[in-house]
Each structure stands twice: as structure tokens, then as C-alpha cells.
Amino acid sequence: MLMTREKRPRIRSLRGWAISVLQDAGAIRECEEHGWMQERADPHARDRALEMAREDPLPGLSADEAVAEIREVLESIGDTCPDCRAA
């Protein structure tokens, strides 16, 4: 049986990489209706994302720079969807 793997989209920015790591760790999710990123307020998922960034930083970044980017992106994402609140 032939099996194919879904190709992951190429990361085009440092922020995109950080969002990908945060999603993989389960620290953020996307609003199903509007597409906004939302923090899940899960401290264990945040810790996993930071550890993932530390262990496997984007090529060209140090572990400290990778962790700093994860923290910066996390701080910029709220826990509610702005469009869901407005409705």
C-alpha cells in the first residue's frame, strides 16, 4: 500500500516558524471560524514549545534567540478571537 505524507508548508519568516512550533506544542490554536491564533493558556504546552525551540532552533538562530522569539510571539497572541468577541 502506497502511503504519502502531507508536506509541511515552507517557513517563510521567523514569526511563522515560532507559530509553527507553538502549534505543534499545543500552546496555541486557530479560531475555527475566523482563523485568528489564540493562546490556550496551557503552561505545559508553553514549556514544551520553549523546549522544542531550545533543542531545535531555526537554522541561523541560537537557542536563546529561538526561545526569545517564541516568548515574543506568545506575548502577541491573546486568548480570545477578536472577531468572536465583536459578534
Side-chain angles (χ1 to χ4, degrees), residues 8-68:
R8 298 186 108 207
R10 223 172 116 197
I11 306 289
R12 296 178 187 228
S13 69
L14 182 55
R15 181 175 174 81
W17 169 81
I19 288 171
S20 176
V21 170
L22 288 163
Q23 284 178 317
D24 288 349
I28 62 175
R29 66 182 178 92
E30 189 175 322
C31 171
E32 292 177 13
E33 190 171 338
H34 303 106
W36 289 94
M37 289 294 132
Q38 297 172 283
E39 184 186 359
R40 292 190 52 240
D42 179 347
H44 300 292
R46 275 186 250 133
D47 291 344
R48 276 192 305 274
L50 293 170
E51 188 60 31
M52 289 166 66
R54 211 175 276 114
E55 290 178 0
D56 189 22
L58 189 65
L61 287 184
S62 70
D64 290 339
E65 291 169 326
V67 167

